[in-house]
C-alpha cells in the first residue's frame, strides 16, 4: 500500500505507511505480494530513537507475527519532536532515579519526592522537560489524534476495521482520535475494532472514557504502571494537577475498558515502554516472533553502560583511597594520643617517686623527734620541730672541764674569788 498524506489545515500532517515497506530488518523484494487482509493494524510510537528514519516508528512493533493481525501500518508524526522527547525523557529519568536512590524515597511517597525536587534541578531540568519538548508533545499528540480520526473517516484503509496500538504519546494520539470519532456520530462507528493504549498521559473523565468505549466495537485496553516515576512527575507537573493519570491507574466504573497492570512486565519505568513493546503485546494477547528487537542503539547503550561502569569504578577507587587515607590519619592520631598518655603517665609516676623520696628524706632528718619523750599526748611530734629548716644536733665540748678549787689550808679565798665565794 502506498503512503498517504492527510490533507489538513494544520501542518504537518501525520503519515500512514505500510510497515511491510520499511527497512526494519525485512527484505522487501523477498516478500511475495499478498492480498489485503480483512483488517488493519495501525501502530503509533510515543517517541523514537536518535536516527531520523521511519524505521524508528516501526521497530517497537516489528516482532509481531506478519499478517496474523492484519495489514500493519505505522503512523509517522512529528519526527523531530519525538526525537527530542526521547533525549529529554532519558535525561529526566536519570535525574529522578538518582535523586530517589540518594534520598531513599519510595514511589508511594510521591508528595515527598515532589517537595524534594524544588530548587535548581526542579527549576532547570523539569522546566526544560515541561516546556520543551514534553509540553509541546502533549499538544501535538492531541492534534495528531484528530488528524488520524479524519484519516480513518476518509477510508484510507478501505472498509476494513482498524486496530490501534500505541504507547506514551502514541497512546495519547489514539485517545484523542477515539474522542474525535465519538463526536462524529454514526459515521465513525465500526471504524475501530480494538484499541490498545499503554502508558497514556491523559487525565480524562468517566464520561470521556465511556464515549471511547462506545465508539470501539471490540477491546479497549488501558495498560498502566503504578511505579512509573517519569510519567507521574512529568505529566502531573506539566498539567499542574494531581488527578489520576490513565498510564498510572486503572480506569474505574467504565464498562468496556479493560485495565491491564504492567508492573510485572516492566521494571524500568516509562522509558522502558519502547524497548518492551514486544513483551507488552504478548502479555495482552498478540502473537510475536521475538520478545526483543535491535534498534541499532544496542552498541551505543553498551558503550554508555561501560562508560558508566568505568566512571563508577574510578569513583569507588577514589572513595577507597579516601577511606584508606582517613584510616591512616585516624591510626596516626590514635598512636599520638597513646604516646601522649604514656608520657603523661610516666611523668606522673616520676613525680610520685620524687614525692616519696622527699618524704623519706624528711622522715630521716626528723628522726630525733621520734622518741617517746618528745611525743605529745596526741601522739604527734611538736609542731616547732616540723617547722625548723635545719637539723638540731648536740655539740660536745672538746675542752677539758674547768675545775675550781679553794685553798682551805690558808683559810683565804683565792685572789680572784670574793670572800663569799663569787668570782671577782
Amino acid at each position: 500500500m502506498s503512503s498517504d498524506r492527510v490533507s489538513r489545515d494544520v501542518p504537518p500532517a501525520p503519515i500512514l505507511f505500510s510497515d511491510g515497506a520499511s527497512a526494519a530488518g525485512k527484505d522487501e523484494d523477498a516478500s511475495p505480494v499478498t492480498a489485503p487482509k480483512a483488517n488493519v493494524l495501525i501502530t503509533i510510537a510515543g517517541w523514537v530513537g536518535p536516527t531520523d528514519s521511519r524505521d524508528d516508528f516501526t521497530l517497537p512493533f516489528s516482532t509481531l507475527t506478519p499478517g496474523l493481525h492484519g495489514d500493519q501500518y505505522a503512523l509517522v508524526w512529528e519526527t523531530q519532536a519525538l526525537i527530542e522527547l526521547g533525549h529529554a525523557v532519558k535525561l529526566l529519568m536519570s535525574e529522578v532515579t538518582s535523586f530517589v536512590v540518594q534520598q531513599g524515597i519510595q514511589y508511594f511517597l510521591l508528595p515527598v519526592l515532589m517537595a524534594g525536587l524544588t530548587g535548581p534541578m526542579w527549576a532547570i531540568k523539569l522546566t526544560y522537560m515541561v516546556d520543551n519538548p514534553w509540553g509541546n508533545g502533549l499538544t501535538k499528540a492531541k492534534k495528531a489524534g484528530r488528524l488520524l480520526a479524519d484519516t480513518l473517516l476518509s477510508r484510507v484503509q478501505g472498509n476494513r476495521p482498524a486496530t490501534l496500538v500505541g504507547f506514551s504519546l502514541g497512546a495519547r494520539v489514539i485517545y484523542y482520535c477515539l474522542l474525535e470519532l465519538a463526536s462524529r456520530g454514526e459515521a465513525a462507528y465500526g471504524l475501530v475494532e480494538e484499541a490498545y493504549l499503554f502508558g497514556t498521559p491523559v487525565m480524562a473523565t468517566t464520561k470521556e472514557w465511556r464515549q471511547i468505549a462506545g465508539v470501539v466495537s471490540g477491546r479497549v485496553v488501558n495498560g498502566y504502571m503504578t511505579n512509573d516515576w517519569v510519567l507521574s512527575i512529568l505529566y502531573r507537573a506539566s498539567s499542574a494537577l494531581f488527578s489520576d493519570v490513565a498510564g498510572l491507574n486503572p480506569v474505574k466504573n467504565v464498562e468496556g475498558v479493560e485495565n491491564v497492570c504492567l508492573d510485572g512486565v516492566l521494571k524500568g519505568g516509562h522509558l522502558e515502554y519502547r524497548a518492551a513493546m514486544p513483551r507488552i503485546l504478548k502479555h495482552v494477547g498478540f502473537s510475536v516472533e521475538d520478545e526483543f528487537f535491535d534498534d541499532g542503539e544496542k552498541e551505543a547503550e553498551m558503550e554508555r553502560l561501560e562508560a558508566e561502569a568505568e566512571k563508577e569504578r574510578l569513583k569507588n577507587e577514589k572513595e577507597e583511597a579516601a577511606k584508606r587515607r582517613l584510616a591512616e590519619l585516624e591510626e596516626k592520631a590514635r598512636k599520638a594520643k597513646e604516646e601522649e598518655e604514656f608520657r603523661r603517665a610516666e611523668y606522673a609516676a616520676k613525680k610520685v617517686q620524687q614525692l616519696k623520696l622527699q618524704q623519706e628524706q624528711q622522715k630521716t632528718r626528723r628522726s630525733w623527734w621520734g622518741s617517746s619523750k618528745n611525743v605529745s599526748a596526741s601522739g604527734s611530734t611538736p609542731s616547732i620541730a616540723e617547722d625548723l629548716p635545719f637539723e638540731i644536733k648536740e655539740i660536745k665540748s672538746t675542752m677539758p672541764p674547768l675545775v675550781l678549787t679553794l685553798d682551805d689550808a690558808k683559810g683565804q679565798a683565792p685572789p680572784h674569788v670574793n670572800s663569799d665565794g663569787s668570782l671577782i
Side-chain angles (χ1 to χ4, degrees):
M1 183 177 188
S2 60
S3 301
D4 294 283
R5 180 177 293 273
V6 181
S7 299
R8 187 72 172 176
D9 294 336
V10 181
I15 302 173
L16 191 66
F17 74 96
S18 173
D19 186 20
S22 70
K26 299 179 182 179
D27 189 351
E28 185 177 2
D29 296 335
S31 301
V33 178
T34 57
K37 300 296 187 296
N39 57 333
V40 174
L41 175 65
I42 301 176
T43 60
I44 309 171
W47 68 85
V48 296
T51 59
D52 186 5
S53 172
R54 290 185 178 182
D55 291 341
D56 291 331
F57 291 88
T58 64
L59 280 172
F61 312 95
S62 61
T63 62
L64 285 167
T65 303
L68 186 61
H69 303 284
D71 291 334
Q72 187 172 340
Y73 295 84
L75 185 71
V76 179
W77 64 286
E78 297 293 346
T79 304
Q80 187 59 35
L82 296 184
I83 292 176
E84 294 175 359
L85 178 61
H87 289 305
V89 170
K90 289 182 180 180
L91 174 64
L92 183 67
M93 185 174 184
S94 175
E95 294 292 340
V96 172
T97 303
S98 176
F99 177 82
V100 171
V101 170
Q102 291 175 5
Q103 300 297 327
I105 297 176
Q106 299 296 328
Y107 171 76
F108 58 83
L109 297 176
L110 184 60
V112 179
L113 175 61
M114 296 289 285
L117 286 175
T118 57
M121 197 275 278
W122 178 263
I124 297 174
K125 299 291 175 60
L126 188 57
T127 301
Y128 167 76
M129 283 299 304
V130 171
D131 295 336
N132 180 35
W134 177 260
N136 294 335
L138 294 177
T139 302
K140 292 180 178 181
K142 184 175 181 179
K143 293 180 180 179
R146 293 172 177 173
L147 291 175
L148 178 60
D150 288 343
T151 303
L152 296 177
L153 285 169
S154 63
R155 302 286 179 174
V156 173
Q157 77 282 6
N159 292 323
R160 298 175 294 173
T163 297
L164 306 179
V165 181
F167 65 90
S168 189
L169 291 182
R172 183 179 173 90
V173 171
I174 296 175
Y175 176 84
Y176 282 102
C177 170
L178 296 177
L179 275 183
E180 183 69 16
L181 290 176
S183 67
R184 299 296 182 91
E186 296 182 358
Y189 289 97
L191 291 177
V192 180
E193 184 178 15
E194 293 181 341
Y196 297 84
L197 299 83
F198 304 108
T200 313
V202 296
M203 289 187 291
T205 63
T206 301
K207 178 181 178 181
E208 291 174 335
W209 278 110
R210 286 174 178 169
Q211 291 176 352
I212 289 175
V215 79
V216 179
S217 59
R219 298 176 69 187
V220 177
V221 176
N222 172 47
Y224 66 93
M225 282 194 299
T226 59
N227 58 351
D228 193 338
W229 297 338
V230 174
L231 184 58
S232 62
I233 294 175
L234 274 180
Y235 189 74
R236 292 179 179 182
S238 64
S239 61
L241 296 173
F242 284 84
S243 303
D244 290 339
V245 180
L248 294 170
N249 303 280
V251 178
K252 300 178 180 179
N253 303 322
V254 178
E255 185 178 356
V257 176
E258 180 181 346
N259 295 294
V260 178
C261 181
L262 301 174
D263 289 346
V265 181
L266 305 178
K267 301 296 182 182
H270 198 79
L271 191 60
E272 194 178 349
Y273 269 112
R274 184 173 186 270
M277 277 312 300
R279 300 195 300 276
I280 296 174
L281 294 173
K282 182 179 180 180
H283 184 71
V284 296
F286 283 85
S287 175
V288 297
E289 294 181 329
D290 196 348
E291 294 185 359
F292 301 92
F293 65 91
D294 185 4
D295 59 356
E297 296 184 2
K298 182 177 292 185
E299 294 182 0
E301 183 69 11
M302 291 298 295
E303 292 178 358
R304 184 187 66 82
L305 293 176
E306 290 176 358
E308 290 182 355
E310 180 65 16
K311 183 178 179 181
E312 186 69 18
R313 184 185 65 81
L314 294 176
K315 179 182 177 182
N316 293 336
E317 288 181 355
K318 290 182 179 179
E319 291 178 353
E320 290 297 327
K323 289 180 181 179
R324 288 195 299 268
R325 178 60 178 167
L326 180 60
E328 291 175 358
L329 293 176
E330 291 178 350
E331 181 66 17
K332 187 176 180 179
R334 184 185 65 80
K335 290 183 178 180
K337 184 178 180 181
E338 290 179 353
E339 292 176 357
E340 181 66 21
E341 291 177 351
F342 178 77
R343 284 195 298 268
R344 290 182 179 181
E346 189 178 30
Y347 176 77
K350 288 182 179 180
K351 294 296 291 183
V352 171
Q353 189 67 22
Q354 291 176 359
L355 182 60
K356 288 183 178 180
L357 183 59
Q358 290 176 358
Q359 291 176 349
E360 291 294 333
Q361 291 176 352
Q362 291 177 359
K363 288 180 181 179
T364 303
R365 292 172 182 173
R366 298 195 306 266
S367 60
W368 66 281
W369 289 100
S371 59
S372 59
K373 63 180 181 180
N374 294 323
V375 178
S376 64
S378 62
S380 61
T381 58
S383 60
I384 188 172
E386 297 178 355
D387 297 333
L388 291 175
F390 55 85
E391 184 179 357
I392 301 176
K393 290 186 179 181
E394 181 182 1
I395 301 176
K396 295 182 179 181
S397 177
T398 58
M399 301 294 291
L402 178 63
V403 179
L404 300 178
T405 60
L406 297 176
D407 191 359
D408 295 334
K410 297 180 178 181
Q412 297 179 355
H416 56 280
V417 177
N418 293 323
S419 60
D420 58 359
S422 61
L423 296 175
I424 296 175

